[in-house]
Amino acid sequence: MEINNNMKTDDELLEQFFSASKLDIEDNGFSDRVMRQIPQRAKCANKIWTTFCFAAVMALFLLFDGIKDLRMLASNFIGDTAGYLASIDLSRFSPTLLLASALILGTVGAYNVLSNQR
């Protein structure tokens, strides 16, 4: 199966469409003047509010022992994953079949990776 390199990707088609219908509007520095007129007080208040909210969330996290909950979540996840992996019964499959399957999957994966690099 041969891939046609002359075909354009979706991104290239979108770029071509929007560049053809692009309309530049001169603002003569209007945007820069508006950004300079935003009061520094509002920017400072935004930083203070963000810091306050972050501190409140961290305080509630520590107050309600969030670290213990994260540890429990991690241990449950690891335990469930280990239990799932232990429940897989590989005795019905021969080692030759497993090796052949791994080689085929590896070959297909390598082909896909190498074909996408071109």
Side-chain angles (χ1 to χ4, degrees):
M1 184 168 135
E2 187 176 317
I3 297 174
N4 187 358
N5 289 334
N6 294 332
M7 294 188 64
K8 294 184 178 183
T9 64
D10 290 341
D11 292 336
E12 291 170 341
L13 289 172
L14 285 172
E15 177 95 20
Q16 180 183 3
F17 172 75
F18 285 118
S19 67
S21 61
K22 184 176 182 181
L23 178 64
D24 288 330
I25 299 174
E26 292 292 326
D27 69 351
N28 296 325
F30 175 76
S31 301
D32 292 331
R33 287 193 306 273
V34 169
M35 292 305 291
R36 280 194 302 267
Q37 289 179 359
I38 295 176
Q40 290 296 327
R41 188 179 57 160
K43 291 179 183 178
C44 184
N46 184 20
K47 288 180 183 178
I48 291 172
W49 179 247
T50 302
T51 304
F52 171 76
C53 289
F54 178 77
V57 166
M58 288 306 295
L60 289 171
F61 179 78
L62 294 173
L63 179 69
F64 290 110
D65 206 10
I67 294 173
K68 181 185 82 170
D69 291 337
L70 284 179
R71 282 185 187 149
M72 186 184 314
L73 178 70
S75 70
N76 286 345
F77 177 77
I78 291 170
D80 290 346
T81 303
Y84 173 74
L85 292 175
S87 70
I88 297 174
D89 182 23
L90 295 177
S91 64
R92 297 186 320 213
F93 302 106
S94 69
T96 307
L97 178 64
L98 291 175
L99 180 61
S101 299
L103 283 174
I104 291 171
L105 287 174
T107 304
V108 170
Y111 174 78
N112 287 336
V113 168
L114 293 175
S115 66
N116 285 338
Q117 290 180 355
R118 293 182 199 159

